Amino acid sequence: MQTPKFNVEFLEEASEFLDGLDEKVREKIIYNVTKARFSSDKELFKKLVDEIWEFRTLFNKTHYRLFAFWDKSEKTETVVISTHGLIKKTDKTPQSDLDKAERLRKKYFELKSMRK
């Protein structure tokens, strides 16, 4: 069996976003996130800006996005942390969501450095 390129963890807001979705939508998003772990498909996982990436899912003509960033600080494994999600209504990604993902990324690493 193929080894995944990275593991995925969900911050609280990402989990709450997924929990609030219809079961079929949630299953499709989880399926795509899992698939992205094994491939380099930009339709599933794409860099947006600097350190922020997104998991992409299209289901019933609706675009779902889970924002994420990489944590390569551990020598043993690479982890992608999903910060939060949105149902995309326009082609342009809202700057407020990019800013939010960046804020959550910084907070994550601050908390992680305090635990060491």
Side-chain angles (χ1 to χ4, degrees):
M1 193 167 114
Q2 192 180 6
T3 307
K5 298 173 192 239
F6 54 85
N7 289 322
V8 179
E9 293 179 12
F10 299 93
L11 295 183
E12 188 176 345
E13 284 194 48
S15 294
E16 288 172 359
F17 173 74
L18 290 170
D19 289 345
L21 296 172
D22 178 73
E23 185 179 348
K24 287 190 183 307
V25 175
R26 185 173 46 250
E27 287 174 0
K28 174 73 183 230
I29 292 171
I30 297 299
Y31 172 81
N32 281 353
V33 168
T34 303
K35 194 171 166 186
R37 294 175 58 213
F38 294 93
S39 70
S40 297
D41 186 346
K42 288 189 172 161
E43 290 301 311
L44 297 174
F45 189 54
K46 179 181 173 187
K47 183 174 186 173
L48 294 176
V49 293
D50 300 327
E51 304 291 327
I52 305 303
W53 292 63
E54 69 179 358
F55 289 105
R56 305 157 56 94
T57 298
L58 176 62
F59 186 81
N60 282 347
K61 299 181 184 172
T62 303
H63 296 271
Y64 298 87
R65 300 293 187 259
L66 277 176
F67 294 91
F69 61 88
W70 294 82
D71 178 357
K72 298 179 183 178
S73 59
E74 301 298 323
K75 302 289 183 241
T76 54
E77 68 177 355
T78 300
V79 181
V80 171
I81 310 295
S82 180
T83 59
H84 69 290
L86 72 96
I87 298 171
K88 201 162 175 195
K89 300 199 179 353
T90 64
D91 287 341
K92 193 162 170 52
T93 301
Q95 185 62 45
S96 59
D97 281 294
L98 295 172
D99 294 343
K100 181 177 187 175
E102 182 59 31
R103 265 194 323 276
L104 290 168
R105 185 185 78 79
K106 287 179 179 170
K107 183 178 176 184
Y108 169 86
F109 284 113
E110 285 170 13
L111 290 172
K112 188 171 183 174
S113 69
M114 287 195 288
R115 282 185 245 139
K116 287 187 177 179

